[in-house]
Structure formats: C-alpha cells, structure tokens
C-alpha cells in the first residue's frame, strides 16, 4: 500500500516509511521522545491536554433499526471518566442511526460491514448508516475497520462544533502520545465508479465495456469495488476526524485513515481530518472524487496518495508531516500498470504542504515532497509547498504515452537546493525537464520563494502571489484570489472540528488529539 516554517514538535526517533504503489506496502513507524523545536506561533495557543471534565457513563445502549441491535459491552474508564460502550453488529443490514448520547461510545469489534456488496452493475442503494454529530466510534482491535460496501452509504455528517470522531481503543483509554499510530484499520468507502489495475476483469477498450474490479488490500474476505458509474454515491462524510489508523490487516497490506475505492462523484466529502495514520492520510483507488477541506497531520507514509485511474478535484488541503516521519506529501501515479486507461487526472488547488525545516528524511522513497509518476496527469493550482530541507518535486517518466505530466499555475515553493536542484527526474525524465514542466517565473509559479508562513497561515510573500482562476479547471472549484489553504489569520475554516497536536495546532476551539471531546 501507499504515504512549518513555524509550528510543530519533533518526534526524535521515528522511522520514515517507503512510499508504495497500489500493490506495495509501507510498515508503521516507531515513536520517540518529543522535544520542542520552535515556539508555537500566535494566534493559536496549544490547549492544555490535562484539564478534562469527568464523563459519566450512559445508563445503556440505544435501540437502532437493525434487528441485531447494539451489544452492551459494559463501561470503560480513563482519566476523563467512564463511558458506556455499545458494540456494532458485524454487518448492518438495515438502515440505522447511531445517535449522540452523552457518556456513550460506539465500538467496532473487527470489520463492520455497512450492507452487502451489491455488485458491479447495480443501481440501487440498500443500507445507509447515519452517524449523528458528536458521535465517537472506536476500533476495539487492530483489525477493526468500517467497510461501506458497493450499493450502500454512510451519512456521517458532523458540525463545525460537534465533529464525528473515528479513533482507537488506546485513544479512549488515554494511552496515546504524539507518535502513536496504526492502532485500528480505518474507514473504507467501496463504490461503483471506474478503476484500473484490475484484480479481476479488464478495463474498457474499443467496443468492450469495463469489467474491472479490485479487492481491498488486506481484507481477508471479499471487499470488492469498481464499476461503470462515475456518479456513484457512497454517501456523505463531513466534519469528521479519523485518528490513529493504519493497522496491518494482512500480509504486506494496511489501510489508511480514509480509503476511497471506486468512489463516485455523487459522494460528498468535506472537512475531513486524518491524524497519525501509520500509512497514508487518504488514498484514492480510482473513481471520480470531489473533496474540499482535507487535513492530513502526521501520516507515516504519504499525506495524499492517488492511483489506479482516479479522476479527482480537490480544494483546500493542509498536508502537514511530523519531523522525521512520513514520505511524500503527495504521491500520484498508477504504478505498475502504466498503460491502463483511464489515466489519472487530478486537479489540486489551494493547498499548503509542509515538511518540518529540521527534517531531512521525510521523503525516503518518494525522494521529494511531491512525487508524480506514470499514467498521471496532474494540475497544481494556487499552492504553497514549504519543505526547506527537501527537494520539492520528483517526476518519474515511464516513457512514451504513459509518462506523467504536470501543469502548475500560481504555485510557490520553498525547497532545498537552487535552480534545477530543487527537482528530481528519474526514469525518462531529467531534473531539468521537471524544472521546465513546473516553469518557475511563468504562470505565477516560483520555485525559490522565501517562506513567510506563520505555521500554515500565509504571510506577505505568499499573499503577494495572485491566485489562478480555478473556474477554468472545473465548476467544482470555488474561485479564490490567493494561493495556499489559509489566506490569513481571519481564515479559520480548520478551527473547532479538528484536533490539536505538536505537529499542528488549530487553535483553542479544537481539542487535543490525545483526548476525546466532552459534550
């Protein structure tokens, strides 16, 4: 499987993962002591993680529509108090709602399926799992994960002040530190949109329809995705945190916080935070995906990984790694099956991608902070890359029509090296060619920016670059006049629904990632 000028704590002995293609694997890193590297910049002081109000366990578990119901697993106690634990059935066969109940947690005790796979060419949606704002769901075992099968949906719609949290048992018990990761599987949405790199079947060709399907990596039992409906709808995820994910499910396979597999454009994805995934923050396997307001903090492989022919539009991204942990901030490709169609076409706008200034080993496999390779057509617009210890862009050319392409508009980068040395070319590409593709000095691009970021917030130099007109790329995008994810201190779209850590502080309306919010 695949992975500030200002604001972070340093994990001193983390192992950087190797970034991988869709059939490869990166192993979880290990933690280390935490030391203060730089003072926390205003206006986002770190909330104290010790003064938490006491929780009183709910009297019992609520009734849900599914006839199997919830199993009362008793209570669990931590320094925050006691919680009632209500275990979900292994398969939810009837549309059901998990209500927010004070002092109550929902437990995944292994794989939990939402509905049953409806198949490659189905058109109906059978089961919807609705999760109310403020609900906390935790994986009780490493192999726990939520599998939303083809033809079924999730409706996890939190709010800016009451996000939905998916996390681990250790987080519930208060055992986690800045370097904790890989303690449960994650959330997987399996859809019926086109993919490539088939496990079974074949991609479309002249006069022949696609029959391409893939099996979820690491799943012991079938967890199939792929189809022909680009507009397929796997539901809604909004104002959601996914913490401490990435447990190894099978031989050389682990999930990430959010895994999108053949997910169609009817799926709504907005305001999603991945925190300390031992693999990627999010990985897209094909599909036609639109997403806004995505934050990845502390991913131990890539912050954003996209492959197997995905067609994607993404806007407002904060990609922030821990020092010494993580590989590429982006890895976009179709590794191993370069001639397959459809080609990946990804447009990524208003992003800020950060690797700590003291970290020279974050990108061990990708070799640069952004890594693009075969059969991917990438457009970067209105972006900020701040990786002063690492080179910014590596491209691997496979040769011929399968070679990756790059279009950049109003992208400013602070990287190690000068001139062409800020870039890496491998395969059929040279560093000079990659530098030419980026085109510093034209189209608003600057490969030699002196960063004035305060943490992840734009400074004068970033705001001195005019934004590119995103509406020329897709109607999905919101037009902006600035580059980067966060224009200034008044731009606080990230606040309240996120969790804080030494690597990234989102202000005193967000709570600590090592604690559960008390509401």
């Amino acid at each position: 499987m695949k992975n500030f000028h200002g604001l972070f704590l340093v994990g001193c002995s983390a192992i950087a993962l190797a970034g991988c293609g869709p059939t490869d694997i990166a192993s979880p890193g290990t933690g280390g002591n935490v030391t203060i590297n730089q003072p926390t910049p205003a206006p986002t002081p770190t909330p104290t993680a010790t003064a938490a109000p006491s929780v009183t366990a709910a009297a019992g578990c609520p009734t849900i529509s599914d006839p199997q119901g919830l199993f009362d697993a008793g209570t669990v106690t931590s320094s925050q108090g006691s919680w009632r634990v209500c275990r979900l059935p292994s398969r939810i066969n009837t549309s059901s709602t998990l209500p927010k109940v004070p002092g109550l947690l929902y437990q995944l005790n292994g794989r939990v399926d939402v509905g049953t796979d409806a198949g490659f060419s189905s058109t109906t949606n059978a089961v919807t799992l609705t999760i109310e704002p403020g609900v906390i769901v935790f994986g009780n075992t490493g192999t726990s994960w939520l599998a939303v099968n083809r033809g079924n949906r999730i409706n996890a719609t939190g709010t800016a002040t009451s996000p939905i949290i998916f996390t681990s048992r250790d987080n519930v018990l208060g055992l986690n530190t800045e370097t904790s990761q890989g303690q449960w599987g994650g959330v997987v949405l399996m859809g019926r949109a086109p993919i490539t790199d088939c496990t079974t079947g074949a991609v479309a060709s002249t006069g022949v329809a696609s029959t391409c399907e893939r099996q979820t990596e690491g799943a012991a039992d079938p967890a199939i995705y792929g189809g022909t409906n680009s507009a397929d709808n796997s539901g809604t995820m909004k104002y959601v945190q996914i913490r401490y994910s990435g447990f190894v499910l099978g031989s050389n396979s682990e999930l990430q916080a959010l895994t999108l597999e053949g997910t169609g454009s009817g799926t709504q994805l907005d305001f999603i935070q991945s925190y300390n995934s031992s693999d990627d923050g999010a990985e897209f396997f094909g599909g036609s995906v639109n997403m806004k307001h995505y934050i990845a903090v502390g991913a131990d492989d890539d912050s954003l990984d996209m492959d197997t022919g995905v067609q994607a539009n993404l806007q407002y991204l904060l990609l922030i790694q821990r020092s010494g942990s993580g590989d590429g901030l982006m890895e976009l490709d179709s590794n191993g099956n370069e001639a397959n169609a459809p080609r990946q076409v990804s447009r990524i706008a208003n992003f800020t991608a950060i690797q700590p200034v003291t970290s020279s080993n974050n990108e061990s496999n990708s070799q640069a902070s952004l890594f693009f390779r075969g059969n991917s057509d990438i457009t970067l617009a209105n972006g900020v890359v701040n990786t002063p210890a690492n080179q910014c862009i590596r491209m691997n050319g496979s040769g011929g029509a399968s070679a990756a392409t790059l279009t950049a508009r109003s992208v400013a980068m602070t990287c190690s090296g000068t001139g062409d040395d800020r870039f890496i070319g491998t395969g059929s590409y040279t560093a000079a060619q990659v530098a030419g593709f980026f085109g510093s000095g034209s189209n608003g691009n600057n490969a030699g920016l002196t960063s004035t970021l305060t943490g992840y917030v734009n400074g004068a130099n970033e705001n001195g670059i005019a934004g590119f007109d995103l509406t020329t790329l897709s109607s999905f995008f919101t037009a902006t006049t600035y580059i980067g994810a966060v224009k200034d201190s008044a731009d606080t779209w990230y606040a309240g629904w996120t969790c804080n850590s030494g690597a990234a502080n989102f202000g005193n309306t967000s709570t600590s990632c090592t604690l559960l919010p008390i509401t």
Side-chain angles (χ1 to χ4, degrees):
M1 299 242 338
K2 305 218 177 187
N3 306 287
F4 301 136
H5 179 95
L7 179 65
F8 47 85
L9 298 177
V10 180
C12 297
S13 62
I15 300 175
L17 294 180
C20 309
T23 58
D24 298 330
I25 181 61
S27 299
T30 58
N33 297 328
V34 177
T35 59
I36 296 176
N37 182 65
Q38 295 185 6
T40 303
T44 55
T46 304
T48 302
T50 55
S54 180
V55 180
T56 301
C61 297
T63 300
I64 63 172
S65 299
D66 193 277
Q68 297 180 85
L70 299 169
F71 174 76
D72 190 335
T75 62
V76 62
T77 300
S78 73
S79 62
Q80 293 185 265
S82 295
W83 308 81
R84 175 70 54 188
V85 176
C86 300
R87 181 179 299 164
L88 274 65
S90 59
R91 186 179 303 275
I92 298 170
N93 291 303
T94 303
S95 292
S96 301
T97 297
L98 304 183
K100 168 62 179 173
V101 178
L104 187 147
L105 306 172
Y106 295 96
Q107 180 192 88
L108 309 175
N109 194 40
R111 171 176 165 180
V112 172
D113 286 275
V114 177
T116 302
D117 179 31
F120 182 87
S121 58
S122 61
T123 58
T124 59
N125 285 83
V127 173
T128 297
L129 174 63
T130 298
I131 304 175
E132 290 188 348
V135 163
I136 299 172
V137 181
F138 74 95
N140 191 47
T141 65
T143 55
S144 299
W145 55 293
L146 185 66
V148 182
N149 287 292
R150 287 185 297 190
N152 303 277
R153 295 178 181 175
I154 187 172
N155 178 16
T157 304
T159 69
T161 56
S162 192
I164 293 165
I165 297 174
F166 294 92
T167 191
S168 68
R169 181 176 181 273
D170 281 7
N171 194 193
V172 171
L173 295 175
L175 302 177
N176 282 346
T177 68
E178 288 288 322
T179 57
S180 299
Q181 60 184 20
Q183 296 173 342
W184 68 293
V187 178
V188 180
L189 306 187
M190 290 168 272
R192 298 170 289 191
I195 61 170
T196 65
D197 299 26
C198 316
T199 302
T200 61
V203 297
S205 59
T206 303
V208 179
S210 172
T211 56
C212 187
E213 297 178 292
R214 282 180 62 89
Q215 160 75 351
T216 299
E217 293 175 358
D221 298 314
I224 308 299
Y225 59 95
T228 58
N229 182 11
S230 295
D232 192 41
N233 184 353
S234 294
T236 299
M237 294 185 69
K238 187 173 184 179
Y239 293 113
V240 171
Q241 298 175 28
I242 308 174
R243 307 178 180 179
Y244 306 111
S245 62
F247 191 84
V248 178
L249 294 181
S251 177
N252 292 331
S253 295
E254 59 193 296
L255 294 176
Q256 33 281 316
L258 179 63
T259 305
L260 302 172
E261 302 177 329
T263 305
S265 60
T267 308
Q268 298 181 53
L269 302 166
D270 202 0
F271 297 101
I272 296 174
Q273 180 187 16
S274 162
Y275 177 67
N276 275 23
S277 168
S278 67
D279 198 52
D280 304 318
E283 184 165 9
F284 300 178
F285 291 91
S288 300
V289 183
N290 296 320
M291 181 166 68
K292 287 182 177 177
H293 303 105
Y294 166 64
I295 297 175
V297 177
D300 219 33
D301 195 359
D302 307 310
S303 299
L304 176 66
D305 196 339
M306 307 171 75
D307 45 53
T308 62
V310 63
Q311 315 289 294
N313 296 309
L314 310 179
Q315 187 175 18
Y316 307 117
L317 282 72
L318 278 172
L319 310 178
I320 304 166
Q321 291 183 340
R322 290 179 284 136
S323 184
S325 296
D327 193 12
L329 288 157
M330 299 181 194
E331 182 175 343
L332 315 182
D333 57 29
S334 189
N335 186 38
N337 293 278
E338 311 295 15
N340 274 356
R343 291 176 64 90
Q344 175 178 171
V345 177
S346 293
R347 306 176 185 93
I348 303 171
N350 288 106
F351 63 91
T352 299
I354 297 168
Q355 286 173 333
V357 65
T358 59
S359 179
S360 60
N361 60 341
N362 276 57
E363 23 69 302
S364 58
N365 188 72
S366 290
Q367 301 175 26
S369 299
L370 310 182
F371 178 30
F372 312 129
R373 60 183 169 188
N375 210 30
S376 60
D377 298 327
I378 309 304
T379 297
L380 304 178
N382 296 351
V384 173
V385 178
N386 187 24
T387 63
N390 298 318
Q391 290 153 304
C392 269
I393 297 177
R394 173 189 170 203
M395 293 181 67
N396 183 71
S398 304
S402 297
T405 69
L406 173 64
T407 300
R409 298 291 184 268
S410 295
V411 177
M413 307 192 300
T414 303
C415 316
S416 66
T418 59
D420 291 352
D421 291 337
R422 300 183 179 106
F423 302 89
I424 300 174
T426 53
S428 61
Y429 287 150
T430 66
Q433 284 177 301
V434 178
F437 299 149
F438 179 76
S440 185
S442 61
N443 296 311
N445 299 324
N446 182 0
L449 181 76
T450 299
S451 174
T452 55
L453 289 176
T454 299
Y456 43 79
V457 179
N458 282 359
N461 288 355
E462 289 79 18
N463 283 333
I465 300 174
F468 173 74
D469 182 4
L470 301 175
T471 62
T472 63
L473 300 178
S474 168
S475 60
F476 168 79
F477 291 109
T478 300
T480 61
T481 58
Y482 59 91
I483 69 171
V486 182
K487 179 181 180 182
D488 51 36
S489 60
D491 183 9
T492 58
W493 60 262
Y494 50 79
W497 61 274
T498 48
C499 69
N500 290 328
S501 64
N505 186 327
F506 300 111
N508 56 19
T509 59
S510 295
T511 56
S512 170
C513 295
T514 58
L515 296 175
L516 303 183
I518 308 300
T519 55

